[in-house]
Amino acid sequence: MAKMTPMMEQYFEIKKNYPDCILFYRLGDFYEMFFEDALTASKELEITLTGRDCGQKERAPMCGVPFHSCEPYITKLIEKGYRVAICEQVEDPKAAKGIVKRDVIRIVTPGTNVLTQALDETRNQFIMSIFLQDEGSGIAVCDLTTGEFRLTQVENADSLHDEITRLTPAEIICNDAFCISGAQMDYYKEKMGIVITPLAGNWFDAEECRKHISGQYPDLSMESFSEYPFGVIAAGVMLRYLHETQKTSLSHLSDMIPYKISNYMILDSATRRNLEVCETLRDKHKRGSLLGVLDKTKTAMGARLLRKMTEQPLIRKKEIEQRLDAVEMLQDHAMAREELREYMRAIYDLGRLTMKISYQSANPRDLISFKNSLYYLPYIKEILQQFDKGMLHQMARDLDPLEDLYQLIDKAICEDPPVTIREGDIIQEGYDEEADHLKKARTDGKTWLAELETREREKTGIKNLKVKYNKVFGYYLEVTNSYQDLVPDYYIRRQTLANSERYVTEELAELADTITHAQEKLYELEYKLYTDVRDYLASQIDRIQQSARIIAWTDVFCALAYVAEHHNYVRPAINRRGVIDIKGGRHPVVERTIKNELFVDNDTYLDQRKNRISIITGPNMAGKSTYMRQTALIVLMAQIGSFVPARSANIGIVDRIFTRVGASDDLASGQSTFMVEMTEVAHILHNATKNSLLIFDEIGRGTSTYDGLSIAWAVVEFIAGDAMAGAKTLFATHYHELTELEGKIAGVNNYCIAVKEKKDTIVFLRKIVKGGADKSYGI
Ligand code: ADP
């Protein structure tokens, strides 16, 4: 066999360490792919497949993408489930002996594709590490773009599933045990678009994992993690994976924070979907969801925080009230709030900036945007300082205005710098003496050139003689053909064009040398000064992240206060007695979407004794679902810390909300719908507690009347029984028979949605009233 070319040898040497990646091999201004990789990539990216001589008889299949616009290509491959290894030249080609040394500098995977423009800044991009065991699962989640890093541990498969659907990570890394359930995997891969990366068993060795954790966090005491042994393993695996793929210091990763899912209201994935908490059921848009109504934030950091809060409502009275206090203060001080919102608008994504700094990919323009954001911090702090108690007060105290960083960037970086960092024009005058000196030499050089031009014109009599510059020849003298006879001997010809000739002289060459030299030195110096500034910022990442967090909270509270005022919401009272008492409640989304019609408000009263279960009857389209959902959403909003759409509301904290929405929209066959329904109902009945809120919308619909009725009947009896006595339930049904339960089972009450008959038509009054509907108008 013929010998490979040296370059191909190098390629194979590197490629053999990354068999599962598509290797982007840097060659000049391109990333090239070869052999199998080239075949795959050319197909997936729809780019031309060519060949390259590799020393063998057959040419190597090859395709490439320009390095300066490689990002969309990488993103496309990642989205299709591939991993991309970026192989760069790792030594200066000028200094290289023989072939330039190359190495993989980063592996891009779906969960770690951080440098792409395609990122949705209003939501986190998570990578999740799962260590599944029989006794429970450890979970670690990280958003590399903001540095958030948290871990937890859950007891069962349901909770694990809920966490996965809540966080919707881009990528899951896991042990083999997790990959066993085929149906579940298909759902994650196909429906949710998650890429699942199983890792070998030895990754999950507890001792190894601890080493990786203490490598990243040398001072961390493991005591606070004693409740999360599996979570710690998941976190160790995560750190190792991130180090192996990112190959950077990960200095922007914030501390590892443990959390308990039982400290938050639990919303299972079906409930989040049914209530359209963060996205609509049908087209998965934020618009039309609860979050769509609430999200009037102005910054990316605020938007991400609000999403997180909406997905994880609180269950502790004190915490909820702290948030409500902050919202109330900002509602009362509308001027201060609007001023804050004005400043927020100008604030750049500080969270993701820290990532860019840590990856050394922040360019001078990023720093200017950063500086422009910092400009507002002292003002924000001052406004927050007028609040003398609660969270706002604490935020004012903790907000570091980062004035020193502002000053540094302001002094060092030009106002309108280029994105490139190796071609000067970055450093402000007056920042560094030597840089100023070199700049002067450059400017002076321009004057010298002008002088030389005038001098040569006079000497030779060539009236249109010009000193010009291009990248290939540097400086030269241009003489048009009409003056050729005046060109003196000491002009050295460099190039002949159609209408002119280009020359240099010894003097010009020397001058050019001085200028170019100064320029090169200047570029080098500016580059160094720039990276010094960036490195200094990197050393201050903790401070920046802290301020970023406070800005996010400020933004969220301002947004909630703004929404409360503009949509006419009230502050809910919070109780621990399990009483939900809403007067004049409205559906936050439907009230904004119905046009030409007023939304009719309704009361809800539920407690843990006589008013536990409301059976709601009424014709189709009367407004039953809307009513039940609005109750659930009002409770949820209150526990987020938001004001609520009602005349008044007193909300007893609930630990979970469950919803089961009947099969009326399902096209599935009777049998399988029935099965789905039964499993979901069983799930609810198993997991609900007396502090839960349950919403059943037309259960038993997917089956024959008789079976359906029996199921519905049995469910009501079960909920009312001892096992979960107290769970508050709204139960919409078209089985009129269920109204018979009132009086028979304690805690059950009948309600219906009023309609008025007018000749042959009925008019929906949308008002909920006591009693059972006397006629079924259902079709
Ligand atoms: P059902 O569950 O009884 O079939 P829905 O709750 O789906 O009825 O309501 C049907 C439509 O009626 C909703 O899409 C909404 O436009 C309108 N609607 C419901 N409740 C109200 C209300 N309180 N005020 C005004 N319109 C309402």
Side-chain angles (χ1 to χ4, degrees):
M1 205 165 141
K3 218 170 140 29
M4 285 274 175
T5 59
M7 200 201 77
M8 270 300 146
E9 267 178 12
Q10 183 189 51
Y11 172 84
F12 276 109
E13 194 53 36
I14 297 170
K15 173 70 193 174
K16 92 173 179 244
N17 295 324
Y18 301 94
D20 58 342
C21 298
I22 292 184
L23 187 72
F24 272 42
Y25 182 86
R26 178 73 180 268
L27 207 57
D29 282 345
F30 280 80
Y31 287 119
E32 302 291 2
M33 288 149 270
F34 299 106
F35 300 101
E36 276 298 305
D37 287 356
L39 298 175
T40 313
S42 65
K43 197 171 84 227
E44 298 286 13
L45 300 174
E46 294 169 35
I47 52 178
T48 320
L49 185 68
T50 58
R52 185 184 178 93
D53 185 21
C54 60
Q56 306 284 303
K57 212 159 76 211
E58 306 214 341
R59 285 155 66 81
M62 175 178 95
C63 66
V65 299
F67 94 98
H68 56 81
S69 60
C70 62
E71 207 190 273
Y73 296 106
I74 295 178
T75 302
K76 198 162 170 192
L77 288 172
I78 298 301
E79 276 167 2
K80 288 175 182 265
Y82 297 99
R83 301 153 69 78
V84 175
I86 313 281
C87 174
E88 285 288 353
Q89 303 177 337
V90 291
E91 65 180 342
D92 188 346
K94 280 185 218 143
K97 290 195 203 86
I99 194 157
V100 184
K101 230 203 234 150
R102 289 184 175 79
D103 207 352
V104 169
I105 54 144
R106 189 165 63 247
I107 299 170
V108 188
T109 76
T112 61
N113 188 13
V114 290
L115 298 174
T116 161
Q117 303 290 331
L119 275 179
D120 176 356
E121 59 171 26
T122 67
R123 57 192 308 161
N124 284 101
Q125 176 187 267
F126 288 120
I127 170 163
M128 197 163 176
S129 159
I130 294 175
F131 177 48
L132 185 102
Q133 294 287 284
D134 290 341
E135 307 87 352
S137 301
I139 300 175
V141 273
C142 176
D143 181 344
L144 258 189
T145 68
T146 60
E148 288 164 75
F149 188 31
R150 318 216 293 151
L151 67 87
T152 190
Q153 187 159 323
V154 294
E155 279 169 16
N156 54 43
D158 282 344
S159 308
L160 178 60
H161 176 69
D162 291 343
E163 276 305 275
I164 295 172
T165 51
R166 180 174 74 84
L167 297 162
T168 48
E171 180 177 4
I172 291 177
I173 53 177
C174 55
N175 59 342
D176 282 338
F178 176 74
C179 302
I180 285 170
S181 133
Q184 197 78 314
M185 285 307 116
D186 287 348
Y187 180 81
Y188 294 145
K189 286 183 197 160
E190 309 301 330
K191 284 263 156 48
M192 296 183 66
I194 303 175
V195 170
I196 311 237
T197 313
L199 298 168
N202 58 16
W203 278 67
F204 298 85
D205 177 69
E207 206 35 54
E208 274 296 306
C209 287
R210 262 169 213 283
K211 265 191 222 148
H212 286 283
I213 292 172
S214 53
Q216 175 78 24
Y217 305 108
D219 305 326
L220 189 74
S221 138
M222 293 306 287
E223 260 164 47
S224 45
F225 297 95
S226 57
E227 285 178 66
Y228 313 88
F230 299 155
V232 167
I233 291 181
V237 169
M238 174 80 87
L239 287 172
R240 175 171 167 197
Y241 186 76
L242 295 180
H243 276 124
E244 290 194 2
T245 54
Q246 304 307 293
K247 301 179 188 290
T248 70
S249 69
L250 299 176
S251 57
H252 73 302
L253 272 200
S254 61
D255 288 345
M256 196 165 95
I257 298 170
Y259 70 98
K260 256 206 188 88
I261 55 168
S262 57
N263 286 347
Y264 299 94
M265 180 202 277
I266 297 175
L267 289 167
D268 53 62
S269 53
T271 301
R272 242 176 289 126
R273 260 201 325 273
N274 289 333
L275 293 179
E276 305 191 297
V277 176
C278 288
E279 58 186 30
T280 54
L281 253 175
R282 195 162 300 164
D283 42 22
K284 309 265 176 256
H285 286 162
K286 176 165 133 190
R287 221 188 131 145
S289 70
L290 174 65
L291 183 62
V293 173
L294 294 182
D295 190 0
K296 293 284 179 270
T297 57
K298 300 275 189 189
T299 68
M301 299 163 280
R304 289 195 297 265
L305 176 62
L306 184 61
R307 177 181 287 268
K308 187 151 64 184
M309 289 163 67
T310 310
E311 285 170 345
Q312 270 193 328
L314 304 171
I315 52 170
R316 294 207 187 99
K317 186 164 184 277
K318 195 167 152 220
E319 284 175 5
I320 298 171
E321 282 177 338
Q322 277 175 344
R323 288 188 185 172
L324 289 169
D325 286 343
V327 176
E328 185 169 8
M329 285 183 202
L330 287 167
Q331 201 201 24
D332 290 347
H333 294 78
M335 285 270 283
R337 179 190 73 221
E338 288 312 308
E339 200 177 340
L340 284 172
R341 278 164 56 81
E342 195 64 37
Y343 298 152
M344 292 292 148
R345 225 160 46 120
I347 295 188
Y348 183 73
D349 193 342
L350 302 181
R352 290 206 168 150
L353 179 96
T354 57
M355 177 268 297
K356 286 191 175 177
I357 290 176
S358 150
Y359 274 74
Q360 300 178 340
S361 73
N363 64 45
R365 281 198 204 151
D366 290 327
L367 295 202
I368 291 298
S369 318
F370 179 50
K371 182 189 87 170
N372 293 340
S373 312
L374 294 185
Y375 176 79
Y376 295 100
L377 298 194
Y379 298 100
I380 292 171
K381 188 175 170 89
E382 202 180 303
I383 299 174
L384 289 175
Q385 270 163 345
Q386 27 175 305
F387 301 102
D388 54 4
K389 55 179 192 291
M391 282 181 83
L392 297 181
H393 177 66
Q394 205 177 334
M395 283 153 54
R397 207 188 52 206
D398 296 346
L399 179 62
D400 180 343
L402 305 175
E403 275 156 319
D404 52 328
L405 304 188
Y406 176 88
Q407 295 298 346
L408 171 67
I409 302 173
D410 193 49
K411 276 213 196 86
I413 313 287
C414 294
E415 208 39 56
D416 192 16
V419 281
T420 50
I421 52 177
R422 292 204 182 259
E423 285 167 31
D425 291 333
I426 307 172
I427 300 298
Q428 188 87 270
E429 253 182 72
Y431 177 69
D432 181 87
E433 222 171 288
E434 197 189 341
D436 286 350
H437 188 74
L438 291 169
K439 268 186 207 161
K440 184 148 184 312
R442 200 173 54 164
T443 332
D444 287 352
K446 298 248 158 81
T447 327
W448 298 333
L449 284 174
E451 283 166 9
L452 179 137
E453 188 181 271
T454 327
R455 222 164 35 237
E456 288 299 321
R457 267 189 209 164
E458 282 166 5
K459 252 203 286 193
T460 59
I462 306 174
K463 290 214 183 67
N464 61 359
L465 180 114
K466 275 208 174 78
V467 174
K468 286 190 168 177
Y469 175 84
N470 76 23
K471 277 211 169 126
V472 186
F473 295 106
Y475 293 97
Y476 55 85
L477 294 159
E478 191 167 87
V479 181
T480 53
N481 290 347
S482 47
Y483 284 104
Q484 284 313 321
D485 46 338
L486 295 179
V487 171
D489 306 343
Y490 63 93
Y491 274 33
I492 309 156
R493 179 166 20 227
R494 272 289 157 86
Q495 199 186 15
T496 306
L497 301 178
N499 302 319
S500 62
E501 304 267 345
R502 292 173 172 177
Y503 301 91
V504 290
T505 65
E506 225 166 274
E507 191 192 357
L508 179 63
E510 260 170 41
L511 203 50
D513 209 45
T514 320
I515 296 171
T516 323
H517 199 67
Q519 174 126 330
E520 265 172 23
K521 257 180 116 174
L522 179 64
Y523 285 179
E524 229 166 82
L525 180 63
E526 289 207 32
Y527 173 76
K528 184 181 172 305
L529 292 170
Y530 174 74
T531 50
D532 284 349
V533 170
R534 202 175 55 190
D535 291 346
Y536 180 71
L537 295 178
S539 72
Q540 303 297 308
I541 272 183
D542 288 347
R543 289 173 65 205
I544 304 172
Q545 280 176 335
Q546 151 104 339
S547 294
R549 272 193 295 272
I550 293 174
I551 294 299
W553 280 106
T554 311
D555 192 16
V556 163
F557 287 140
C558 284
L560 290 177
Y562 173 89
V563 172
E565 184 175 300
H566 281 254
H567 299 344
N568 209 5
Y569 292 175
V570 294
R571 174 176 179 150
I574 305 293
N575 71 73
R576 288 203 201 87
R577 290 172 287 118
V579 176
I580 294 177
D581 184 4
I582 301 167
K583 298 264 165 33
R586 300 161 346 244
H587 190 295
V589 181
V590 177
E591 76 163 338
R592 313 229 66 74
T593 44
I594 51 172
K595 303 223 167 69
N596 314 322
E597 218 185 317
L598 274 186
F599 191 88
V600 179
D601 61 30
N602 273 306
D603 301 346
T604 304
Y605 186 88
L606 291 165
D607 60 26
Q608 292 182 321
R609 309 162 79 100
K610 287 193 179 145
N611 300 282
R612 279 172 356 223
I613 302 174
S614 300
I615 307 276
I616 303 161
T617 46
N620 275 338
M621 293 302 285
K624 300 184 296 296
S625 318
T626 307
Y627 171 71
M628 294 194 299
R629 285 186 164 86
Q630 97 186 17
T631 304
L633 287 173
I634 287 174
V635 170
L636 196 139
M637 289 166 84
Q639 290 186 228
I640 291 170
S642 164
F643 283 23
V644 298
R647 248 190 346 272
S648 76
N650 195 336
I651 304 297
I653 296 171
V654 310
D655 61 354
R656 299 185 74 143
I657 298 177
F658 289 96
T659 59
R660 168 60 219 168
V661 176
S664 55
D665 300 332
D666 292 357
L667 294 169
S669 71
Q671 183 55 33
S672 62
T673 321
F674 177 74
M675 278 309 296
V676 172
E677 182 148 63
M678 283 304 87
T679 351
E680 285 195 18
V681 169
H683 167 77
I684 298 178
L685 300 185
H686 274 135
N687 291 289
T689 74
K690 71 182 191 359
N691 294 317
S692 305
L693 174 63
L694 278 48
I695 307 279
F696 290 100
D697 199 350
E698 304 276 11
I699 62 165
R701 200 171 184 157
T703 64
S704 71
T705 313
Y706 181 75
D707 287 349
L709 175 59
S710 320
I711 295 165
W713 189 289
V715 168
V716 176
E717 278 187 334
F718 187 85
I719 299 168
D722 290 339
M724 61 172 85
K728 291 173 279 296
T729 307
L730 296 175
F731 200 107
T733 182
H734 61 286
Y735 293 121
H736 213 256
E737 293 84 343
L738 289 183
T739 55
E740 288 167 27
L741 291 172
E742 187 183 63
K744 285 201 183 115
I745 300 179
V748 175
N749 295 288
N750 292 334
Y751 289 90
C752 63
I753 307 229
V755 291
K756 208 159 76 189
E757 277 183 85
K758 252 194 194 164
K759 291 192 189 135
D760 291 341
T761 58
I762 51 170
V763 180
F764 295 120
L765 300 178
R766 312 272 185 224
K767 209 62 183 170
I768 187 143
V769 293
K770 198 94 190 49
D774 47 3
K775 217 190 219 172
S776 176
Y777 298 88
I779 313 148

